[in-house]
Amino acid sequence: MKIFFLRIVNFFYPVTCSVCGDDLSFLSQTKICGKCKESFSVIKNLLCQKCGMPLYDGGEYCYTCKKYPKEYAFDKMRSVYLYKDSLRSLILKFKYSDRSFLAKDFGLPMYETMKLHSFYNDAEFIIPVPLNIVRRIKRGYNQAELLANEISIKGTSAR
Ligand SMILES: [Zn+2]
Ligand SMILES: [Zn+2]
């Protein structure tokens, strides 16, 4: 009965990829098709131990972190993808075009990256960067809060 209902809803409001617009299965849990996900540039092993930027020539730290060790006010940062091309457009949609549902698509890879780089070893809290109250009201949500919530859910269910 639920599937029948979903088919009807999908007929009027088809589920499409938020990047390329291709149709997705009406049962799809994601709003990004596999082809688009594969096109995102994942940051792999060779990266700066502090800021997480890719290191194309190897080493432990990037030029900035080596030369200016106090440049960043954090101990360690990691990113899942390079901020470019279709991913960049998608993040801008997530932030400014009422696509709060994308938090689910970003939550899992963020959780997996944090786990891979041992962020959970000493962490007691996950705290999203607050959003200015006026922006929060205008946007209707704080994207960092949605992501923190998704990461927390994934972390809790994995234990
Ligand atoms: Zn797509
Ligand atoms: Zn660095």
Side-chain angles (χ1 to χ4, degrees):
M1 185 66 185
K2 188 182 170 194
I3 287 184
F4 176 73
F5 177 73
L6 285 172
R7 277 186 198 278
I8 301 279
V9 171
N10 190 58
F11 180 78
F12 292 105
Y13 301 102
V15 181
T16 56
C17 171
S18 294
V19 181
C20 68
D22 278 2
D23 286 340
L24 295 171
S25 159
F26 70 98
L27 292 173
S28 178
Q29 297 293 309
T30 173
K31 300 288 188 256
I32 308 169
C33 77
K35 203 172 71 186
C36 288
K37 272 186 190 163
E38 280 175 25
S39 75
F40 300 157
S41 301
V42 177
I43 298 177
K44 299 230 171 96
N45 296 337
L46 280 178
L47 41 83
C48 173
Q49 292 307 301
K50 184 166 185 175
C51 73
M53 285 299 288
L55 296 172
Y56 299 104
D57 299 324
E60 212 173 339
Y61 296 97
C62 71
Y63 175 80
T64 306
C65 292
K66 221 184 304 179
K67 182 111 177 156
Y68 310 101
K70 293 184 178 174
E71 175 73 10
Y72 302 120
F74 52 77
D75 295 328
K76 188 162 108 176
M77 184 173 84
R78 292 294 178 269
S79 304
V80 180
Y81 306 112
L82 285 178
Y83 184 63
K84 63 177 197 169
D85 306 331
S86 57
L87 179 79
R88 185 176 181 278
S89 315
L90 192 62
I91 288 174
L92 292 174
K93 283 182 193 169
F94 176 48
K95 285 176 77 175
Y96 304 113
S97 301
D98 198 22
R99 308 281 174 98
S100 58
F101 55 81
L102 287 170
K104 287 197 182 302
D105 281 297
F106 292 134
L108 182 60
M110 287 180 77
Y111 163 73
E112 287 171 344
T113 299
M114 289 174 75
K115 198 173 157 195
L116 180 72
H117 294 284
S118 309
F119 270 78
Y120 288 109
N121 290 358
D122 304 318
E124 292 178 21
F125 303 101
I126 297 172
I127 301 173
V129 177
L131 190 64
N132 173 288
I133 188 69
V134 177
R135 279 194 191 159
R136 172 75 169 79
I137 291 167
K138 263 173 123 175
R139 196 175 296 173
Y141 58 91
N142 173 1
Q143 73 281 353
E145 190 182 315
L146 298 178
L147 291 172
N149 195 37
E150 285 299 321
I151 293 165
S152 171
I153 291 167
K154 306 285 185 246
T156 307
S157 62
R159 282 181 191 175

